[in-house]
Amino acid sequence: MQFLVFIIVYPLLWLVSILPFRILYLFSDAIYVLVYYIIGYRKKTVRANLAMTMPHLSDQERLTIEKKSYHHLCDMFLEMAKTLTISSKEMNKRFVIKNIEVITDYEKKGKSIMLLASHYASWEWLITLNQKISFGGVAVYKKINNKYFDKLVIKIRSKYNTELVVTNKTIPFIAENHKKGILSLYALASDQSPARNRIFHWDNFMGIEVPVHTGPEMLSKKYDLNVIFVKVKKVKRGYYEATLVPITDDAKSIPDFGITHTFIREVEKQIEEAPEYYFWTHKRWKHRRKD
């Protein structure tokens, strides 16, 4: 059954990937109508998240953000498909890293790097970063149940020689690299909600006390990694800018949960600037301190 679904969907994704961007976004507009108005994909979750985190806005203001976020979600899904055939030149034109020297300067320190990202704007196109660094780029991802689509996602995200590591294998992978002296850049989008059995720390996120992922900080301290946050801005449809924000080059000296706290504050700044580009369909606030 998995293979049947794959052989039906894959040709469609490939056809989408060869569309000119102008046509691609017309197609995205049509998908938006289907997803938002007809299917209503996770609409209750999005509305609950916006109501909890932005009570200061009016219902109409939140509705505007909601609709824009679905438009962006559809765009990003098709942009990910576009990655199958997009040229390196076109990718670099559409996803610009403004201050790559932050990473190159950290590389000179001879320590691996932890790159913290959020599910905001375009985290998928961050793969272009691997063309501009000397360290090996490693992206941590959650495995897809359909093994054929899982292989496809790996193919897309490893386009620029990025190595993909499944979440539950991250710790032994970094440990092995550290043991062998292999210098790498590890990219993690860790702003989502941890599983109940992985809750070790709570922090205030968008005005609500919630559990937060502490794995990136733990790994950074244990293996003495430089830590950077990547802030992605959507300039206009199909165009993004990334700014690298140094967090620390001495993780062990930062008080416990300090790195995690700084990361959460940076994610909040992104959301407050343009909330319509955040991944609101995820149940980020399903665990709250009051529970």
Side-chain angles (χ1 to χ4, degrees):
M1 186 63 181
Q2 286 190 353
F3 183 65
L4 178 61
V5 173
F6 177 76
I7 61 174
I8 292 172
V9 175
Y10 177 74
L12 298 175
L13 292 176
W14 187 84
L15 286 172
V16 166
S17 78
I18 63 174
L19 291 174
F21 273 98
R22 182 173 60 85
I23 306 300
L24 183 87
Y25 290 125
L26 287 175
F27 186 38
S28 179
D29 290 340
I31 292 178
Y32 162 73
V33 173
L34 175 66
V35 170
Y36 183 75
Y37 288 102
I38 299 175
I39 298 175
Y41 173 69
R42 292 202 172 191
K43 195 180 284 187
K44 288 183 179 179
T45 297
V46 172
R47 287 184 178 173
N49 285 342
L50 288 171
M52 276 190 291
T53 59
M54 299 186 176
H56 57 287
L57 299 180
S58 68
D59 291 345
Q60 185 57 50
E61 287 171 323
R62 287 196 295 269
L63 183 62
T64 298
I65 293 170
E66 175 185 305
K67 291 180 177 180
K68 286 182 177 180
S69 73
Y70 275 93
H71 254 131
H72 174 69
L73 186 67
C74 294
D75 280 0
M76 206 187 74
F77 174 76
L78 294 186
E79 287 166 0
M80 184 172 72
K82 185 71 177 174
T83 311
L84 275 168
T85 58
I86 194 172
S87 69
S88 178
K89 181 180 179 181
E90 183 73 16
M91 178 71 91
N92 286 324
K93 183 177 77 172
R94 290 177 172 274
F95 194 97
V96 176
I97 300 169
K98 296 176 67 177
N99 56 338
I100 192 63
E101 67 275 5
V102 171
I103 289 181
T104 54
D105 287 347
Y106 269 14
E107 285 180 325
K108 294 173 185 176
K109 297 178 182 291
K111 299 194 299 184
S112 289
I113 299 169
M114 177 67 72
L115 183 72
L116 299 177
S118 64
H119 291 86
Y120 183 92
S122 178
W123 61 91
E124 291 291 343
W125 279 1
L126 274 170
I127 59 173
T128 189
L129 177 69
N130 212 38
Q131 302 175 89
K132 302 172 177 65
I133 62 176
S134 59
F135 284 7
V138 179
V140 177
Y141 86 108
K142 188 175 181 179
K143 193 170 185 177
I144 298 172
N145 290 332
N146 186 310
K147 64 180 180 180
Y148 301 102
F149 281 109
D150 188 63
K151 289 179 181 178
L152 178 61
V153 168
I154 291 174
K155 178 182 177 181
I156 291 173
R157 291 177 173 171
S158 60
K159 183 167 183 175
Y160 301 111
N161 297 319
T162 301
E163 188 169 0
L164 274 290
V165 177
V166 182
T167 48
N168 61 357
K169 295 182 179 179
T170 304
I171 294 175
F173 182 89
I174 294 178
E176 187 66 16
N177 272 5
H178 182 76
K179 182 179 178 181
K180 293 179 178 178
I182 299 173
L183 297 175
S184 303
L185 181 145
Y186 305 103
L188 289 86
S190 55
D191 56 313
Q192 301 301 298
S193 183
R196 279 186 178 274
N197 63 344
R198 302 298 297 171
I199 295 175
F200 302 111
H201 182 64
W202 297 72
D203 205 326
N204 189 294
F205 182 39
M206 298 299 293
I208 301 167
E209 200 168 5
V210 292
V212 292
H213 283 286
T214 55
E217 175 172 339
M218 178 272 289
L219 290 167
S220 298
K221 286 175 171 286
K222 185 172 183 178
Y223 298 109
D224 192 23
L225 310 180
N226 295 315
V227 186
I228 300 172
F229 174 73
V230 56
K231 176 183 178 181
V232 181
K233 175 183 178 182
K234 187 169 186 176
V235 180
K236 60 180 180 179
R237 208 171 194 183
Y239 289 86
Y240 303 89
E241 285 182 351
T243 302
L244 299 164
V245 182
I247 292 181
T248 183
D249 61 357
D250 187 10
K252 293 181 179 180
S253 70
I254 306 297
D256 286 347
F257 309 119
I259 292 172
T260 302
H261 181 78
T262 299
F263 166 66
I264 293 297
R265 299 287 78 76
E266 292 294 337
V267 177
E268 282 183 331
K269 290 177 189 175
Q270 279 188 308
I271 296 172
E272 288 163 359
E273 287 178 13
E276 61 267 30
Y277 302 134
Y278 191 59
F279 194 42
W280 293 107
T281 55
H282 188 84
K283 296 181 180 180
R284 177 61 187 93
W285 291 271
K286 62 183 175 182
H287 303 310
R288 300 189 292 279
R289 180 65 101 178
K290 69 176 183 179
D291 298 328

